[in-house]
Amino acid sequence: MRVWAVSDVHTDYAENLAWCEKMSGETESDCIILAGDVSDNLDLFRATLICFTRKYKYVFFVPGNHDLWTRREERGKHTSLEKLGLLRQMCTELGVYTIPKCIEGVWIVPLYSWYHASFDTEPDVPGALPVQKMMVDFKACSWPEHLDATGTSLAAHFDDMNQEPVADVISALAVQAGGTDDRPPVITFSHFLPHQASLCFPCWCRHMDDHVTWAVKCSPGPSP
């Protein structure tokens, strides 16, 4: 089994959906990781997942920011968090994994995440508009009142979603290792980069840091 990974397929664009529909190659026994930004349109999201489930034996998914946009016609029907629930339900129906799973001796571990304001360490550009006016996410996503898109509560909320699944994986790895250092490989993935050193933009999700450190420790071979 080979493990493939792709992100930001953005099948809202017809040419991208056409690429997914025409994927070629002998991958029927392989695994594919979809690391977010598939589509904010529920029908296109489903159609895209079907493309991948037809081509790959195992499909894993975590949401990106665009997947959780609530367009005008969705406002009042559900928040972005409720939309995440709809996406996860759809994944379950189609056999797409949104929680950790050990497949053919390899742990694949999705990690949920969001921006964390403390990663923005660069000085503001003089005369620049506030990030809330520059990034569509601040207008296109809708959150419950207790979550603040301009602070750290969203990152903390998404990271809380990882606590129980990651703890379960750690316990399972200990059993599989049987008191030795011979653990199965672990692959974690998220839409947002977890370390400042990896960033090409200044603001991602700080809360994931502990989980990525855990993954490096649990994976066999030298740390990256």
Side-chain angles (χ1 to χ4, degrees):
M1 178 191 71
R2 296 172 294 182
V3 179
W4 304 81
V6 67
S7 173
D8 295 76
V9 293
H10 289 289
T11 51
D12 307 278
Y13 295 94
E15 57 270 34
N16 292 357
L17 180 60
W19 177 84
C20 293
E21 291 171 338
K22 296 177 182 178
M23 284 185 294
S24 60
E26 297 180 357
T27 57
E28 290 81 2
S29 299
D30 294 345
C31 171
I32 183 75
I33 288 169
L34 295 178
D37 277 10
V38 173
S39 173
D40 66 277
N41 180 288
L42 291 173
D43 292 333
L44 286 174
F45 182 85
R46 177 183 288 274
T48 306
L49 291 189
I50 290 173
C51 290
F52 283 95
T53 56
R54 287 176 175 172
K55 196 62 183 174
Y56 292 87
K57 185 176 182 179
Y58 309 103
V59 181
F60 286 79
F61 168 78
V62 289
N65 45 315
H66 288 190
D67 300 306
L68 301 184
W69 286 3
T70 53
R71 294 295 190 174
R72 183 176 302 173
E73 62 273 16
E74 296 178 280
R75 293 298 172 101
K77 294 182 179 179
H78 47 247
T79 66
S80 293
L81 280 186
E82 291 167 335
K83 186 170 186 177
L84 173 57
L86 295 175
L87 298 181
R88 295 181 72 179
Q89 179 181 347
M90 192 180 300
C91 286
T92 299
E93 293 170 358
L94 296 174
V96 174
Y97 297 105
T98 59
I99 59 175
K101 181 78 173 177
C102 188
I103 54 169
E104 301 188 25
V106 179
W107 276 99
I108 310 293
V109 183
L111 293 176
Y112 293 84
S113 60
W114 200 257
Y115 310 119
H116 193 291
S118 68
F119 265 33
D120 187 0
T121 59
E122 298 295 321
D124 292 339
V125 176
L129 292 173
V131 66
Q132 294 89 340
K133 293 182 179 289
M134 296 291 292
M135 292 185 65
V136 178
D137 294 344
F138 287 95
K139 292 184 178 180
C141 293
S142 58
W143 305 106
E145 291 183 1
H146 68 284
L147 296 177
D148 179 10
T150 63
T152 62
S153 59
L154 272 176
H157 178 88
F158 277 89
D159 188 60
D160 284 344
M161 297 175 64
N162 300 318
Q163 302 298 328
E164 184 175 344
V166 166
D168 290 343
V169 174
I170 292 173
S171 297
L173 283 168
V175 172
Q176 290 174 313
T180 72
D181 291 329
D182 186 18
R183 300 184 182 92
V186 177
I187 299 174
T188 66
F189 71 99
S190 175
H191 184 70
F192 299 95
L193 298 176
H195 291 287
Q196 278 185 310
S198 306
L199 302 181
C200 56
F201 292 99
C203 181
W204 297 104
C205 180
R206 185 170 192 165
H207 278 262
M208 286 175 57
D209 220 22
D210 290 341
H211 293 311
V212 174
T213 302
W214 159 80
V216 170
K217 289 181 179 177
C218 287
S219 298
S223 299

